[in-house]
């Protein structure tokens, strides 16, 4: 690979393994992007990941991961010792090979614009990408946390974000995106629980307080380890090397009679920053030679990418019930609404098949079996249609075939839920028609099937209508709208059949009419009014008879 950019996103999640894995999967989902490293910390409640690849591929991978983080991370319930302003807190682009810093700045701006417009998250550009000098230092943006940033955004015009709204996102907060040279995250743990001491040492050694150049430091508590930590970022390791930063912390700790409990490097670092003498001087708790950036890149580029097919690529109906539920619950876009509706329609059909077999209705059994088989196929087809649509939307905007590809894929993605609605409605009709001939003990099961089939019809029709709303091709819209209306009419008729009780069943134990059927509801009101009038008249007559007898 001749052109390599590194990106080191920091996500505000260090505890939920499912969320962390979803972020990793999103980053690795773009061909050509390699995940080099991932570090999560419980106390910091933070994960730092390192990816490399071509600059455009990395931008796309980052957007996918940011979208997942926005969906899964809620800052309103987040509590960690590391400062943060966003679910995706900071996203730096770092030039590695054949990429200039200017290209990294442009990549940061492209990603920031997309995040601001598509995800409605305010974005501040920092370091080399900063458009305002007060925004360049990361610690300036983070000052006061998200609450402090929100106050500045509301009260100071200089703190208008570069992209996105002028208020924080409700759950994802804000985001800092930029470009910078390689940085080393280096932490020194103190054999103490005195947070004030860690903060005092951090203040004394960082550049902003007159300490070591190109060194940023904070003091944090590691409650799970019963330690405190001086967490540092070395923004230029050639000016302030690792061992110099370590000695500075050690000297301050010695003054207070506190021992060093260990040190750690978070993520990767350049080969030149970690010579053998330096390694021994740092007393590292855990250092893997694979943490050397150049070695990790070489390994990643020479080895084939190992991809594990997601569960959705397996035939869904071959999964166990537990695995199927996990596949639906997974933080991925598919399987979703239409596939679940198709499964519901197939289950409704299966109930009808069971009743038809036991009551010897072979014609009904045969047709419901055909419907169930078709719905099973449509479960998988819906997943494939969604993937095809996503692939079409990822075509370059300059590709003249992109509009046709998108509208065609969207048409398929509308056709499938519409067919699910048609087949489910037919199943509901068959179940309703066969119900009087089934054995008495099975009628409740058939009624459940009718209710499920109606639900499947309404759910998949909703999906089809939603897709139809965004169909840009008027001709394709017109081609399908008649079928949509026909299914809508069938659905309303089915609701009347299912929810309106037969004559003679009106009373306090009867089912209510369908809320969506105004005519039926009005009929119920009329019947209810008539019944109540009769009751009041009867009561009045009794009362009059009672009065007459007492008078005599």
């Amino acid at each position: 690979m001749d052109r390599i950019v590194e990106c080191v996103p920091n996500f505000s999640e260090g505890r939920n393994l499912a969320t962390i894995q979803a972020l990793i999967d999103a980053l690795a989902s773009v061909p050509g992007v390699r995940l080099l490293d991932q570090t999560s910390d419980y106390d910091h409640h933070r994960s730092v990941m390192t990816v490399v690849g071509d600059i455009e591929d990395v931008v796309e991978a980052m957007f996918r991961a940011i979208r997942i983080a926005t969906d899964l991370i809620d800052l309103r319930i987040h509590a960690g010792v590391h400062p943060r302003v966003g679910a995706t807190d900071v996203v730096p682009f770092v030039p590695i090979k054949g990429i200039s810093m200017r290209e990294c700045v442009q990549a940061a701006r492209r990603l920031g614009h997309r995040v601001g417009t598509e995800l409605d998250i305010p974005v501040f550009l920092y370091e080399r990408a900063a458009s305002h000098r007060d925004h360049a230092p990361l610690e300036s943006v983070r000052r006061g946390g998200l609450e402090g940033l929100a106050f500045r955004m509301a009260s100071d015009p200089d703190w208008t974000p570069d992209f996105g709204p002028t208020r924080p996102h409700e759950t994802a907060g804000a985001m800092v995106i930029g470009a910078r040279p390689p940085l080393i995250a280096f932490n020194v743990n103190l054999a103490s629980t005195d947070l004030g001491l860690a903060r005092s040492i951090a203040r004394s050694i960082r550049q902003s307080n007159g300490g070591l150049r190109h060194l940023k430091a904070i003091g944090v508590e590691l409650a799970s380890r019963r330690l405190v930590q001086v967490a540092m970022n070395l923004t230029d390791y050639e000016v302030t090397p690792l061992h110099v930063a370590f000695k500075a912390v050690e000297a301050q700790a010695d003054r207070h009679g506190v021992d060093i409990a260990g040190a750690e490097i978070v993520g990767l670092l350049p080969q030149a920053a970690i010579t053998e003498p330096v390694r021994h001087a740092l007393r590292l708790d855990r250092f893997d030679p694979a943490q050397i950036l150049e070695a990790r890149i070489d390994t990643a580029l020479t080895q084939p990418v190992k991809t594990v097919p997601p569960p959705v690529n397996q035939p869904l109906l071959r999964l166990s019930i537990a695995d199927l539920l996990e596949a639906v619950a997974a933080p991925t876009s598919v399987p979703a609404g239409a596939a679940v509706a198709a499964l519901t329609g197939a289950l409704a059909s299966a109930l009808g098949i069971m009743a038809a077999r036991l009551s010897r209705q072979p014609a009904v059994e045969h047709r419901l079996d055909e419907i169930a088989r078709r719905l099973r196929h449509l479960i998988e087809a819906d997943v494939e249609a969604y993937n095809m649509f996503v692939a079409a939307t990822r075509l370059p905007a300059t590709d003249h075939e992109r509009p046709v590809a998108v509208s065609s894929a969207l048409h398929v993605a509308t056709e499938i839920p519409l067919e699910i609605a048609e087949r489910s409605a037919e199943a509901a009709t068959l179940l309703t028609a066969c119900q009087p001939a089934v054995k008495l003990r099975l009628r409740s099961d058939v009624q459940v099937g009718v209710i499920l089939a109606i639900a499947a019809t309404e759910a998949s029709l909703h999906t089809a209508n939603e897709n139809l709303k965004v169909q840009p091709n008027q001709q394709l819209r017109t081609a399908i709208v008649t079928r949509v209306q026909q299914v809508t009419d069938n659905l309303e008729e089915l609701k009347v059949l299912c929810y309106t009780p037969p004559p003679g069943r009106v009373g306090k134990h009867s089912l209510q009419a369908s809320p969506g059927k105004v005519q039926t509801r009005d009929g119920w009101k009329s019947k209810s009014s008539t019944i109540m009038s009769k009751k009041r008249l009867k009561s009045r007559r009794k009362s009059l008879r009672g009065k007459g007898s007492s008078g005599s």
Side-chain angles (χ1 to χ4, degrees):
M1 190 178 291
D2 296 328
R3 290 166 52 83
I4 301 175
V5 68
E6 177 190 37
C7 192
V8 192
N10 289 222
F11 299 102
S12 297
E13 178 57 72
R15 301 171 186 173
N16 188 313
L17 297 180
T19 298
I20 293 169
Q21 188 59 52
L23 294 169
I24 292 172
D25 291 343
L27 289 170
S29 67
V30 177
V33 174
R34 309 296 178 95
L35 177 73
L36 300 186
D37 187 70
Q38 177 265 319
T39 304
S40 300
D41 187 276
Y42 183 92
D43 294 298
H44 286 237
H45 205 351
R46 191 175 187 80
S47 291
V48 179
M49 302 177 187
T50 304
V51 295
V52 294
D54 180 78
I55 197 162
E56 292 303 325
D57 293 337
V58 171
V59 169
E60 173 62 27
M62 274 313 312
F63 182 78
R64 295 186 192 182
I66 290 168
R67 183 165 51 193
I68 291 293
T70 304
D71 290 340
L72 300 182
I73 300 173
D74 189 344
L75 285 189
R76 295 174 299 182
I77 56 174
H78 181 278
V81 299
H82 200 289
R84 85 287 183 274
V85 295
T88 303
D89 188 46
V90 58
V91 181
F93 289 90
V94 182
I96 298 296
K97 177 184 177 185
I99 298 285
S100 67
M101 183 63 73
R102 181 182 178 185
E103 289 176 288
C104 288
V105 169
Q106 293 170 342
R109 295 188 65 85
R110 287 196 301 276
L111 179 61
H113 179 267
R114 192 174 176 189
V115 168
T117 55
E118 296 185 33
L119 302 181
D120 203 33
I121 299 173
V123 175
F124 292 87
L125 297 174
Y126 86 115
E127 286 289 350
R128 303 291 179 86
S131 57
H132 193 291
R133 66 179 184 179
D134 289 345
H135 303 175
L138 182 58
E139 59 270 23
S140 294
V141 184
R142 284 193 184 140
R143 189 173 69 252
L146 180 58
E147 295 76 14
L149 178 60
F151 176 78
R152 294 194 296 278
M153 291 169 66
S155 59
D156 188 347
D158 287 342
W159 282 93
T160 300
D162 294 283
F163 304 104
T166 56
R167 67 194 182 286
H169 187 281
E170 183 179 6
T171 59
M175 196 176 305
V176 191
I177 302 177
R180 60 163 174 77
L183 171 151
I184 301 174
F186 177 53
N187 302 330
V188 177
N189 300 329
L190 308 178
S192 170
T193 57
D194 186 352
L195 179 58
L197 172 62
R199 289 175 172 172
S200 174
I201 293 175
R203 280 194 299 270
S204 68
I205 65 172
R206 63 192 178 207
Q207 178 177 337
S208 60
N209 288 91
L212 298 172
R213 293 175 59 201
H214 301 288
L215 178 68
K216 302 177 181 182
I218 58 173
V220 298
E221 180 184 16
L222 305 181
S224 68
R225 288 180 258 178
R226 297 183 181 180
L227 299 171
V228 292
Q229 181 183 85
V230 180
M232 296 173 280
N233 281 343
L234 281 70
T235 58
D236 191 333
Y237 65 88
E238 293 179 342
V239 175
T240 298
L242 280 168
H243 67 280
V244 172
F246 178 82
K247 291 296 183 184
V249 175
E250 186 179 45
Q252 293 291 327
D254 283 344
R255 287 181 53 198
H256 294 86
V258 173
D259 293 331
I260 300 296
E264 61 184 9
I265 292 169
V266 180
L268 307 179
L269 77 167
Q271 172 72 65
I274 187 79
T275 61
E276 196 62 31
V278 169
R279 277 185 59 184
H280 291 295
L282 297 181
R283 294 190 235 169
L284 294 171
D285 286 340
R286 50 186 187 274
F287 178 75
D288 186 343
Q291 285 182 265
I292 295 173
L293 178 62
E294 293 88 345
R296 186 68 67 88
I297 291 175
D298 289 343
T299 301
L301 295 181
T302 55
Q303 290 184 348
V305 180
K306 296 180 180 179
T307 57
V308 178
V312 74
N313 286 343
Q314 303 175 24
L316 290 175
L317 294 179
R318 292 184 183 176
L319 299 176
S320 67
I321 293 176
D323 288 342
L324 179 59
L325 292 175
E326 284 295 325
V328 174
T332 56
S333 299
V334 287
V340 171
L343 177 60
T344 305
L347 288 170
S349 300
L351 282 172
I353 294 168
M354 175 267 294
R357 285 173 176 170
L358 292 174
S359 58
R360 298 183 180 179
Q361 300 186 57
V364 174
E365 175 194 340
H366 177 72
R367 182 56 189 152
L368 283 174
D369 184 66
E370 290 179 339
I371 292 172
R373 289 176 183 274
R374 181 60 183 165
L375 288 170
R376 286 167 56 186
H377 170 75
L378 290 173
I379 294 172
E380 306 287 352
D382 180 67
V383 173
E384 295 169 3
Y386 176 83
N387 291 333
M388 185 174 71
F389 172 70
V390 170
T393 61
R394 290 174 184 160
L395 291 173
T398 54
D399 189 338
H400 68 280
E401 294 182 359
R402 186 180 188 276
V404 175
V406 170
S407 60
S408 298
L410 187 57
H411 183 69
V412 174
T414 308
E415 282 269 1
I416 289 171
L418 181 55
E419 186 181 352
I420 293 170
E422 291 170 336
R423 298 288 76 79
S424 298
E426 185 183 356
T429 302
L430 287 167
L431 284 161
T432 303
C434 80
Q435 192 169 15
V438 302
K439 296 179 180 179
L440 188 61
R441 62 186 174 86
L442 299 174
R443 290 182 184 177
S444 174
D445 297 312
V446 174
Q447 183 66 14
V448 169
V450 173
I451 295 169
L452 287 176
I454 289 175
T457 303
E458 188 161 20
S460 50
L461 186 62
H462 169 77
T463 301
N465 276 318
E466 290 298 305
N467 291 347
L468 203 58
K469 288 178 184 178
V470 295
Q471 173 58 265
N473 188 311
Q474 185 60 40
Q475 184 178 2
L476 293 178
R477 283 171 60 94
T478 305
I480 211 168
V481 72
T482 304
R483 288 172 58 197
V484 169
Q485 187 58 51
Q486 187 175 6
V487 176
T488 302
D489 294 341
N490 290 344
L491 177 63
E492 291 306 313
E493 292 172 6
L494 284 166
K495 286 181 178 179
V496 174
L497 288 171
C498 180
Y499 297 120
T500 303
R505 290 286 304 279
V506 180
K508 63 179 181 179
H509 297 297
S510 61
L511 294 171
Q512 287 187 339
S514 169
K517 198 71 175 173
V518 177
Q519 182 179 357
T520 305
R521 184 171 63 240
D522 291 342
W524 270 101
K525 286 180 180 178
S526 176
K527 292 176 183 177
S528 177
S529 177
T530 302
I531 292 168
M532 291 305 296
S533 296
K534 290 180 179 178
K535 286 183 176 180
R536 284 195 294 269
L537 180 59
K538 189 175 182 180
S539 175
R540 188 177 177 185
R541 286 174 178 169
K542 286 182 178 180
S543 177
L544 286 173
R545 285 198 299 270
K547 286 179 182 179
S549 63
S550 73
S552 63

